[in-house]
Amino acid sequence: FLPLWSLMASHSDTLVVFFGATAGANGGKLGSDEREIILLVWQIVDLHEKKVGKLHQCFVKPDTLELTDQCKEETGLTLEDIINAEPLDKVLQQ
């Protein structure tokens, strides 16, 4: 087997690491309350130079403006953060 790093390097010189977080529960309750995406985080990795770029994050305004206590605690997000955010379609266009 080849390491994942070498497999990706053979096809491209860059990798985008992408993460999305929802306003719902985590841990054992993950997926039990089906909430919308409220945060997108991404980072570019230069596989050739083996360097990582700047970490980017963007808040996403959900249709339902509600955060669980667990979400607030784990992410540090406030209701005001998502109220002032753009909807998902506009964030993805950026």
Side-chain angles (χ1 to χ4, degrees), residues 28-94:
K29 294 183 177 182
L30 183 65
S32 65
D33 56 355
E34 299 296 325
R35 301 289 176 104
E36 298 170 83
I37 292 174
I38 57 163
L39 176 67
L40 295 177
V41 180
W42 67 96
Q43 190 169 33
I44 306 292
V45 179
D46 183 328
L47 299 174
H48 181 70
E49 298 291 326
K50 296 185 173 137
K51 293 182 180 179
V52 294
K54 178 182 171 190
L55 185 66
H56 301 272
Q57 76 172 19
C58 211
F59 300 127
V60 178
K61 185 176 189 173
D63 291 334
T64 305
L65 297 173
E66 186 179 339
L67 295 175
T68 63
D69 290 336
Q70 183 182 19
C71 177
K72 290 177 194 175
E73 201 173 289
E74 290 182 9
T75 65
L77 289 172
T78 66
L79 192 54
E80 200 168 288
D81 290 327
I82 62 170
I83 287 172
N84 296 322
E86 295 287 340
L88 182 60
D89 61 335
K90 291 189 179 185
V91 170
L92 292 174
Q93 289 177 9
Q94 294 176 15

